[in-house]
Structures are given as structure tokens and as C-alpha cells.
Amino acid sequence: MRQKLRSPSRLGWWLALFLPLALAAPCALAGDLKLEALLVWGTNDARSPDPDHKPVGADLLKKLRSFPLKWTNYFEVNRQQLAVPSAGAKRTSLSKECEILVKNTGSGELELVIFGKGQRVGHIKQALPKGELLVTGGNAPNFTAWFVVLRQVD
Amino acid sequence: MNNDQELKLQAFLDGELPARERPAVADWLAADAEARALQQEWALTRSALAGGEPPRPLPESREFYWSKIQREILRGEKAGARAAARRAVPWWRRLLVPTAGLAVLTLGLSVALNYWPPGRQPHVVETALADSGAFTYRDLKEGITLVWLSYPADSGLADDAGADIIE
């Protein structure tokens, strides 16, 4: 009888060890959304005429090439880090003409608003778990393309 | 008739009165109508109890009937022992198990939300665009979403690539 009574309490002790973790997890999830935004130029040219442009990383290149698009080379034009608070928003400029506004809904989704020359040209709302990419693109002069790549960072 | 007389009369009726007292009580009965009436009432009561009680047959065997009673007694004893054991455990330890259960539930929910957030299902991309040339491509395996906008195709800043965007 004594052993039977002791077992649930011992189980409770072990389970109680998870209490701080369990209480901390939702807080962690509801914290700042740390993002990285890249402005990428897509072209079929092997080199960019702008010496400040550098080729995107191998992993990103592989993913961009997996898209059903006609461009083969991608160059990083700008890179910005954003920390968007829960239920908050951050606006940042990626180029002279391109701005983005990122809203953290606080419920696991984000909203991306893209502005071109100050005009709102796109609004995307979706979840963006770590390791996933949200790529927005459009045509650019000389049969090239622009891309805004958004991903979570640690 | 007082209480002692009633007791003596009852003992006479039950055959428990000593032999030396019986003649005196018999004489008293012969002479006192109230005593006779009381004796007759008791005799009727006795016969009613002896022969008038209806039989109560058991619906099961005697052994089974008593084993049920025994089980109920043992169950009551165990319940009492458990209640005593619960009283012996401090209140904060009694709260430990439900609190820990709640913690595990919260943890599980947090993990589930982390790995399967509400908007992770397909068709979560909500694109609010003015142009009809936009499209969305999603690779669930790679975890990548492409939203293609026609901007600024109609603004003169880009070539009118049109349909040859796709390979």
C-alpha cells in the first residue's frame, strides 16, 4: 500500500520538473520574431555589373533554382535583420525603391507587405517556421528579376 | 398494573417464572380481567410474529449472498484506508500530480504549436494583389513559398516578360 501511494507522488515530482519548461515554451513562442530579409537579383548573366553584388549562398541558390523560373544566377543586393515583436510590425528598406513591412501576428503567422516606390504592391500572410523561406519576386529590367527572401534566424 | 406486574405476567406467559410463583400469578389472572386481556394480546402478538412473517427467499445461493456482503465490507475498509492515506499526504503533494499533468499538457500543446503552427497547412498564403498576373508556388518538401508579382511589369521599369517567366 505504501509503495502504491508513493508512486504517483514520485511521478508527480518527475513531471513537475517539466513545469518551468512548459511555462517558458509559450513565452518563447510569443517573443520577438527574428527575421532576415534579402533583396536578390535574378539573371542569366554569370556576373553582376554591380561589384557590390555577391552570389547568394549555395543553399539559397539551390532553393531558388528549384523554382519553375527561367533565371539561373542570383545575386544578393542587400541583407537586413529584423526583430519583430509579437503583435508588432517593422518596416525596413532593402533598396532605394523597395521597402518591406513585416507584421508579427503573434499567432504563428506573419504578414509581409511589399512596397515599390512607396506603393503597396503585395501583401502575403502565412506562417514562416524556422528553416522555411518566403520568396516574393517580380520582373526587373533586361529580362531579370527581383526577389525578396524572408526567413527566420536564431 | 405496574411495570413489575407486567414483567411477571410476561415471564409467566413465556414459561420463565419460577414454579413457586406460578400459582399466585395464575390466581391473579383468573381474578383480573385486565391481566387476562393483556395476556391474550401478547399471545396474539407472539403467534403473529411466529407465523405471520413472510418468507424472504434469497435470489442466489447462501454462499454467494454472504460473499457479496463480505466484499462490500472489504471495499468499505479499503475506501476508509485510502481516505486515511490521502489525509496523511500534505495538501501540496496532492496538488503535485494534477499540476504536473497540466504542465505536461501545456508543454505538449506548445510543442504541437511549434511544430504544427495553425497556419502551416497548405493554402495558407493570402495574397492581396491588385493585378491578376500574380501566382503562388509552394514546395512543401523544401519548405519554400514563391509569390510572383507582376509588378512593375506595367510601370515601364521591367520588360514585358509575360508568359516566358516560367521555364
Side-chain angles (χ1 to χ4, degrees):
Chain A
M1 177 69 79
R2 178 181 290 268
Q3 184 61 35
K4 282 180 182 176
L5 287 173
R6 193 189 293 167
S7 297
S9 297
R10 188 178 292 171
L11 178 66
W13 276 111
W14 280 107
L15 294 178
L17 292 176
F18 291 101
L19 182 62
L21 183 61
L23 294 176
C27 298
L29 288 173
D32 285 4
L33 188 62
K34 294 178 180 175
L35 300 167
E36 188 175 64
L38 285 81
L39 181 62
V40 173
W41 182 57
T43 178
N44 284 325
D45 296 339
R47 292 180 183 177
S48 169
D50 190 333
D52 291 336
H53 293 180
K54 56 182 181 181
V56 298
D59 187 50
L60 179 57
L61 180 64
K62 183 184 169 188
K63 289 185 174 180
L64 288 171
R65 282 181 172 170
S66 73
F67 287 142
L69 300 174
K70 63 181 182 181
W71 296 282
T72 53
N73 298 315
Y74 298 87
F75 296 92
E76 183 180 321
V77 178
N78 193 5
R79 179 189 293 245
Q80 294 285 333
Q81 306 278 340
L82 298 95
V84 189
S86 181
K90 276 283 175 69
R91 185 167 180 159
T92 188
S93 176
L94 292 175
S95 73
K96 193 172 62 179
E97 297 181 354
C98 178
E99 279 185 290
I100 59 169
L101 172 69
V102 180
K103 292 180 186 175
N104 180 1
T105 63
S107 60
E109 288 185 326
L110 60 79
E111 290 182 49
L112 171 65
V113 183
I114 296 182
F115 298 91
K117 289 188 172 182
Q119 290 184 331
R120 177 173 157 150
V121 297
H123 174 210
I124 299 119
K125 181 181 179 183
Q126 70 162 72
L128 186 63
K130 283 184 180 175
E132 295 199 4
L133 293 181
L134 171 59
V135 181
T136 312
N139 288 316
N142 299 320
F143 297 101
T144 60
W146 62 269
F147 297 92
V148 171
V149 180
L150 200 63
R151 64 187 170 196
Q152 272 205 62
V153 290
D154 294 327
Chain B
M1 187 182 299
N2 58 32
N3 191 43
D4 287 342
Q5 287 174 314
E6 285 183 354
L7 288 173
K8 190 167 286 187
L9 188 60
Q10 194 168 8
F12 177 78
L13 191 63
D14 292 338
E16 295 172 352
L17 201 64
R20 56 188 170 82
E21 295 183 24
R22 294 177 67 85
V25 173
D27 292 343
W28 172 43
L29 269 173
D32 191 339
E34 186 186 2
R36 279 200 305 277
L38 189 59
Q39 185 205 20
Q40 284 174 358
E41 183 184 337
W42 284 344
L44 284 172
T45 303
R46 176 191 281 179
S47 63
L49 287 174
E53 189 175 15
R56 298 286 300 274
L58 291 174
E60 59 258 326
S61 70
R62 174 189 174 87
E63 289 75 17
F64 182 68
Y65 179 77
W66 286 109
S67 72
K68 285 200 301 185
I69 293 174
Q70 187 180 24
R71 279 199 298 274
E72 286 302 314
I73 292 170
L74 289 174
R75 186 183 300 169
E77 287 176 352
K78 284 180 182 176
R82 278 197 296 270
R86 275 198 298 272
R87 283 193 297 273
V89 177
W91 65 269
W92 57 271
R93 287 188 70 177
R94 288 201 295 272
L95 286 176
L96 204 58
V97 171
T99 306
L102 187 65
V104 170
L105 190 66
T106 309
L107 179 63
L109 192 63
S110 302
V111 171
L113 283 173
N114 194 24
Y115 284 96
W116 299 283
R120 192 161 184 185
Q121 300 82 8
H123 314 298
V124 294
V125 178
E126 176 189 309
T127 310
L129 302 169
D131 63 87
S132 58
F135 69 85
T136 300
Y137 169 83
R138 183 164 172 80
D139 187 336
L140 291 171
K141 186 182 173 188
E142 292 289 334
I144 48 179
T145 304
L146 170 67
V147 180
W148 186 261
L149 310 174
S150 64
Y151 173 87
D154 58 352
S155 66
L157 294 176
D159 300 300
D160 189 11
D164 67 345
I165 292 168
I166 305 294
E167 282 178 322

